[in-house]
Amino acid sequence: MWDSLPGRRQSGFADAGSALTTVLMAVVVVSALYFGREVLVPIALAVLMSFVLAPLVRLLQRWFLPRLVAVAIVVLVAFGAIFSLGSLMVSQVNQLAGDLPRYQSTLREKIHSVRAATAATSTLERASEVLQDLSSELDKPNRTATPPLASAGPAPAKPIPVEVRQPDPGALQTLVALITPLIHPLATTGIVVIFVIFILMQMQDLRNRLVRLAGSQDLQRTTAAIDDAGQRLSRLFLTQLALNAGFGVVIGTGLWVIGVPSAALWGMLAMILRFVPYIGAAISAILPLVLAAAVGPDWTLVLWTAALFLVVEPVVGHVLEPLLYAHGTGLSPVAVIASATFWTWLWGPIGLILATPLTICLVVLGRYVDRLKFLDVMFGDEPALTPAELVYQRMLARDPVEAAEQARNFLKQKPLLGYYDQVLVPGLRLAQADAERGLLDEERTARIRDAVAEIIDDLSTHEDKSEPPPAAESATDDETPLAQINKAEKALNKDATTVPEQWQTKQPVLCIPGLGLLDEAVALMVAQLIEREGIGARVEQADALSISRIFSLDTKDVALVCLCYVEDATSAQIRYAMRRLRRKAPDAYILVTMLGAAANIEAREALQGFPNTGFVESLDETVAQVRAAASGQQDRAPPPDSNALARAASL
C-alpha cells in the first residue's frame, strides 16, 4: 500500500497541473478574443455570412455558372440589399427626427393623464407643491434688508463682454469632420466584404486545411464535425434570416395599417433585434409603443400596437420556429442566455447577435473533440445524465420524488416493464458497481433499496396503455383454411395461458434476493410484475437465506421460487443458495433471474446438478417463465434418480 502512495501523489500532481493548464489556456483565449476584437469581429461576421451565402453560390453553380461569377452575383446582391436597407433606415430616422417636435405636446398630455390616473398621485402632487413653495420662498431675496448708503462709494463698473470667435473651418477640415465618424464602420464593412469573397472563393481549400489541422489521421470524425457544423449553421442562419425577415415585414405592415409613423423603420428594427434571443422582440416593441402614444389622441393606437406584437411574436416563436427549426439549435436555454451575456461583454452589441452561432460552433467542437467534451455537456441540449444515471443519483440524494416523476413521464410512452428494464435495473447495476468498488456502505445501500420500494409502490396503480386493436378484416363466406387454422391456434393459446385459480388466490411464487439489499430491490420489481399477471407473489428480505432465517422460511403452497440477482454471482454462491432452497422447497420450480448476466456460462453450469430449475437474464423472460409455469406449459425436468440427488447434495 505504501508503495502506491508516490504513484498516487504523482497522479494527483498531474491532474492538478492539467487543470491549471486548462484554466490558463481559457484565460489566454478570452484575453485574445477581447483585445483582438477589432480584427476578430469582422472575421467572425464574414465567416457567418459565408455560411448563409454558400448555399446560394452552390445553387448558381448547379446552373453552370463559373464559381467566380456565382460569388460575384451573390455578394453584390447580398451587400446591395444590406446597404439599401441601411440607407432606408437612415432616411426614416431623419424623417422621424424632423417630426418629433410635433409629437411633444401630445406625449406630454398623455404623461399628465397617466399621472392623474394613479391612486397615490394626489398625495404626491400636494407634497411636491408644498416643497416647491418652500423652495421658492427660500430663494426669494430679503426685502427688509437695509439699502446701501450713498456714501458707501461709487458703483462698480459693468464688465465688458468679450466674444471669442473661431475662424471659419476650411473645406478640408469640414470634410475630415464628416468622414471621421464613418471611418470605423466603413473599414469594418470593407474587411467583411473582402473576407466573404475570399471565403466563398476558397471554401474547398479552407475546408481541406481545416481537416489537416484538426487531424488527418481521423478523417471520419473530422469530416463529420465539419459537415455537422456547416449544415447546422447554414440551416440555422437561413431559417433565422427568413423567419426574422418575415417577422419584420409583418410588424412593419401592421404598424403602417395601424398608422404608426416610420413603420418601415420599426419593421427593420424588429427584424434585426429578433436575432437577439428571447428579449429582442420585446425590445423592438418599446419605441413603436412610445411613438404610438405620442401620435394618437387617445390610447387606441397604443393598444393596437401592443396587440400586434403580442400576437405576432408568440405565433412566430412558439408555432413557426419549432416547425422550421426541426431539431433546433442544439443549445439549452440556459446556454443561450449565458452565451448572450458572455459574448455581449466580450464584443458588445455585435457579440449579442453572434452569441448563438458562435456557441453552436463550440458545442459541435465539443461533440467531436474528446478534450472539449465539457462544452457539449455544458451548453448542449441533450440530457447531461442518462435516465439510469438520473434515477441512481436521485436515490443517492434521498429524492425518490423526482425519480417517480421521471418514471411517470417515461410511462406515458412505454410500459412499466420497459421502465424497469431500461431505467431502474440499469440504475441498480450502477449501484452494484459502486458497491463492488467499496463506495457504498450499508446505510446508502439500504437507502437505495427503500427508494426503489417507494417508486414501485408509487407505480402500483399504473395501467399500461393498451394498443388499439387492428382494423377487422371483412369476413367472407369462403375463408381460407389457413385463416381457420390461425384462429384455432389463437384460441388454444388463449385457453392455455389462463391462470388457474390456485395461482391467483394463494401466493405460489416466492421471490428471494440472492445476495443483498440491491437484489431485494430486484425481487420487489419481479413480484410486482408477476402480480400484474394475476399471479400471487410475495417477497422475502435480503437475509432470507442466512442461517438465522432459513429455518423460519415459509415455503408452504410455494410452487415456484424466483432467486433474484442484480449482477453476476459466482457459481459457489448460486450452488449455496440452491442447496438451501432445495431443502426447504424440494418440489418447487426454482428460477434464477440474473439481470445483466450476458451469456453467464458459469452460472448456467452451476445449475446443471439441480433438477427442476431455470435460468433467465431479463425481467420479461422472468414474467414469461412464471406465466408459463402457472398455465402448465413450463418444461419441467423429469425427477432425477437418487444418484443425481446425491451428487447435487455433495456439491
Side-chain angles (χ1 to χ4, degrees):
M1 180 183 68
W2 296 105
D3 295 339
S4 63
L5 289 179
R8 293 182 181 179
R9 188 178 295 110
Q10 292 177 1
S11 177
F13 289 155
D15 294 339
S18 178
L20 182 60
T21 303
T22 303
V23 172
L24 291 177
M25 286 294 297
V27 172
V28 170
V29 170
V30 172
S31 302
L33 290 174
Y34 180 78
F35 292 106
R37 60 186 180 274
E38 298 295 335
V39 177
L40 296 177
V41 168
I43 295 176
L45 287 172
V47 171
L48 297 179
M49 286 194 65
S50 65
F51 279 110
V52 178
L53 302 179
L56 301 178
V57 173
R58 289 194 294 267
L59 179 62
L60 293 180
Q61 283 188 294
R62 292 195 191 101
W63 294 348
F64 304 103
L65 288 177
R67 187 172 188 83
L68 179 61
V69 177
V71 170
I73 293 175
V74 169
V75 171
L76 287 176
V77 171
F79 283 96
I82 293 174
F83 291 145
S84 300
L85 291 176
S87 61
L88 179 60
M89 290 185 67
V90 171
S91 63
Q92 290 286 320
V93 169
N94 292 332
Q95 181 181 354
L96 181 64
D99 296 338
L100 282 179
R102 295 191 297 136
Y103 308 140
Q104 185 176 359
S105 59
T106 306
L107 189 60
R108 186 182 296 111
E109 293 176 0
K110 293 281 178 61
I111 294 175
H112 284 304
S113 64
V114 171
R115 292 176 60 187
T118 56
T121 300
S122 57
T123 304
L124 295 177
E125 287 283 352
R126 292 171 186 172
S128 177
E129 290 176 359
V130 171
L131 292 176
Q132 289 179 359
D133 292 340
L134 291 175
S135 176
S136 61
E137 289 294 333
L138 292 174
D139 292 338
K140 287 180 180 179
N142 189 3
R143 296 179 179 177
T144 60
T146 304
L149 298 175
S151 60
K158 293 183 178 181
I160 300 174
V162 177
E163 183 179 359
V164 179
R165 291 188 177 183
Q166 296 288 342
D168 294 334
L172 182 60
Q173 293 181 352
T174 304
L175 183 62
V176 169
L178 292 174
I179 292 178
T180 300
L182 301 176
I183 290 178
H184 186 269
L186 290 176
T188 302
T189 304
I191 294 174
V192 171
V193 173
I194 293 173
F195 269 101
V196 166
I197 294 174
F198 276 97
I199 290 174
L200 293 176
M201 288 294 300
Q202 302 292 327
M203 182 162 290
Q204 287 81 0
D205 182 67
L206 292 174
R207 179 200 60 200
N208 297 336
R209 294 179 183 277
L210 186 59
V211 169
R212 178 64 180 273
L213 288 175
S216 57
Q217 291 83 8
D218 194 357
L219 290 177
Q220 184 273 335
R221 175 178 291 190
T222 306
T223 304
I226 294 176
D227 291 343
D228 188 9
Q231 293 176 4
R232 184 177 298 188
L233 289 175
S234 295
R235 182 175 64 247
L236 171 67
F237 295 157
L238 288 174
T239 305
Q240 270 195 333
L241 183 61
L243 199 63
N244 294 346
F247 177 79
V249 169
V250 172
I251 292 296
T253 305
L255 293 177
W256 176 74
V257 172
I258 293 172
V260 178
S262 304
L265 173 64
W266 310 127
M268 288 183 288
L269 188 64
M271 178 188 71
I272 296 172
L273 288 178
R274 205 179 180 282
F275 283 96
V276 179
Y278 298 117
I279 61 173
I283 295 175
S284 65
I286 296 176
L287 291 178
L289 287 172
V290 174
L291 189 59
V295 172
D298 52 15
W299 297 100
T300 304
L301 206 61
V302 178
L303 296 178
W304 277 109
T305 304
L308 176 65
F309 280 92
L310 291 176
V311 170
V312 175
E313 169 56 22
V315 170
V316 174
H318 300 286
V319 178
L320 295 181
E321 276 188 353
L323 293 176
L324 295 178
Y325 281 164
H327 300 291
T329 62
L331 301 179
S332 65
V334 176
V336 174
I337 297 297
S339 63
T341 304
F342 173 77
W343 290 106
T344 303
W345 166 76
L346 203 62
W347 285 353
I350 298 296
L352 183 61
I353 298 176
L354 299 179
T356 300
L358 292 174
T359 310
I360 289 176
C361 295
L362 294 178
V363 169
V364 173
L365 192 63
R367 187 165 298 171
Y368 292 96
V369 179
D370 295 336
R371 292 180 62 88
L372 301 178
K373 184 68 176 178
F374 68 94
L375 294 174
D376 186 24
V377 175
M378 291 176 59
F379 301 126
D381 59 350
E382 297 181 357
L385 297 176
T386 63
E389 292 172 342
L390 178 61
V391 72
Y392 177 44
Q393 192 270 337
R394 289 293 86 198
M395 289 189 293
L396 287 175
R398 300 181 181 180
D399 185 17
V401 177
E402 185 176 346
E405 183 66 23
Q406 176 204 31
R408 294 290 182 184
N409 295 331
F410 186 93
L411 294 174
K412 292 179 181 179
Q413 303 294 333
K414 296 184 180 181
L416 181 63
L417 179 60
Y419 171 72
Y420 287 161
D421 259 334
Q422 301 176 27
V423 179
L424 203 53
V425 170
L428 290 176
R429 289 181 196 155
L430 295 174
Q432 179 66 25
D434 286 346
E436 291 176 355
R437 294 195 299 266
L439 302 178
L440 284 182
D441 54 13
E442 189 73 17
E443 181 184 357
R444 290 188 176 183
T445 307
R447 187 189 309 164
I448 293 173
R449 188 271 318 273
D450 296 340
V452 172
E454 186 173 343
I455 294 173
I456 292 174
D457 181 70
D458 184 68
L459 300 178
S460 59
T461 58
H462 171 75
E463 295 293 337
D464 293 334
K465 293 183 179 179
S466 58
E467 295 293 335
E473 298 180 356
S474 58
T476 58
D477 295 335
D478 50 349
E479 288 185 340
T480 61
L482 181 60
Q484 297 177 359
I485 293 174
N486 291 335
K487 285 186 177 181
E489 289 181 351
K490 290 180 180 179
L492 290 175
N493 291 333
K494 184 176 181 180
D495 294 337
T497 56
T498 302
V499 178
E501 183 178 357
Q502 62 269 20
W503 286 76
Q504 300 178 20
T505 57
K506 299 180 180 180
Q507 291 180 329
V509 179
L510 178 62
C511 299
I512 297 181
L515 294 175
L517 295 173
L518 298 179
D519 296 332
E520 183 179 342
V522 175
L524 292 171
M525 284 186 280
V526 171
Q528 186 190 63
L529 294 174
I530 292 173
E531 289 178 344
R532 292 171 68 88
E533 298 292 329
I535 302 173
R538 60 187 174 91
V539 182
E540 288 291 336
Q541 295 182 0
D543 57 347
L545 297 179
S546 63
I547 297 177
S548 60
R549 294 199 57 191
I550 188 63
F551 297 103
S552 61
L553 183 64
D554 184 13
T555 58
K556 184 181 178 181
D557 298 328
V558 172
L560 187 147
V561 178
C562 185
L563 189 60
C564 303
Y565 295 93
V566 70
E567 274 292 344
D568 299 353
T570 63
S571 59
Q573 292 170 336
I574 296 175
R575 287 196 299 268
Y576 176 82
M578 293 294 295
R579 287 197 301 269
R580 296 204 164 192
L581 287 175
R582 187 54 73 197
R583 294 193 190 103
K584 293 294 296 184
D587 298 328
Y589 182 84
I590 301 178
L591 180 64
V592 177
T593 298
M594 189 170 292
L595 303 181
N600 193 329
I601 301 176
E602 183 181 0
R604 294 178 184 273
E605 291 178 349
L607 300 178
Q608 289 182 358
F610 297 93
N612 203 16
T613 59
F615 181 85
V616 292
E617 301 173 358
S618 64
L619 292 176
D620 55 346
E621 292 179 357
T622 302
V623 175
Q625 289 280 353
V626 174
R627 191 190 306 116
S631 61
Q633 294 180 336
Q634 179 67 52
D635 294 332
R636 302 174 67 93
D641 54 12
S642 58
N643 294 330
L645 289 177
R647 289 194 302 268
S650 64
L651 292 175

